[in-house]
Amino acid sequence: MHSIISPIICKINNVFIHVSNLEESAKWYSDLLGLPFHKSNVKSPVYNIPLPSETGLTLDDHTFDPDFKLQPSEHVLFNFFVRDIDEAYEFVKSKGIIIVKEIERIGDFAYFNFKDLDGNVLMICNN
């Protein structure tokens, strides 16, 4: 069997989330992730959440694309990792965030799904 050489690096570099209000979403995601929020750093059309990881998270309000129509994803876009699923669930719930799937446990693996401000479905899981 021959190996195929690809110029594409096997790494997710950045995740984009389409939002309707960049400032509100930047504040919401910063609060969810326990990151400092500085309104002065939010400049349309995109805001890069300052994550301390290799994969980036960018919010995009499409200011310069007047034909763009936001269509929130009803399917999970990606997941955030947690060590304690129950603690994370209570934290998210305490913020009044809409939970769309209660904690599901499959052996040692557990997850739940929730919606962001625009209705995009996201997941939190422990693996």
Side-chain angles (χ1 to χ4, degrees), residues 1-5:
M1 187 157 133
H2 298 275
S3 294
I4 298 174
I5 298 174

Side-chain angles (χ1 to χ4, degrees), residues 2-86:
H2 298 275
S3 294
I4 298 174
I5 298 174
S6 172
I8 300 169
I9 297 170
C10 296
K11 173 186 170 246
I12 302 296
N13 192 51
N14 207 53
V15 174
F16 281 81
I17 299 178
H18 306 285
V19 300
S20 58
N21 185 308
L22 191 62
E23 185 178 312
E24 282 182 18
S25 292
K27 186 175 182 343
W28 189 88
Y29 276 92
S30 296
D31 183 56
L32 178 71
L33 298 171
L35 297 170
F37 173 73
H38 304 288
K39 183 178 174 177
S40 60
N41 293 342
V42 179
K43 307 257 189 287
S44 189
V46 298
Y47 176 71
N48 293 307
I49 304 281
L51 297 179
S53 64
E54 283 189 36
T55 303
L57 180 59
T58 298
L59 306 178
D60 187 347
D61 71 3
H62 293 270
T63 297
F64 302 123
D65 185 0
D67 295 328
F68 181 79
K69 291 180 178 47
L70 180 65
Q71 295 179 350
S73 175
E74 295 179 16
H75 304 286
V76 173
L77 293 174
F78 62 89
N79 69 60
F80 290 112
F81 171 76
V82 297
R83 287 178 173 61
D84 185 328
I85 196 74
D86 297 298

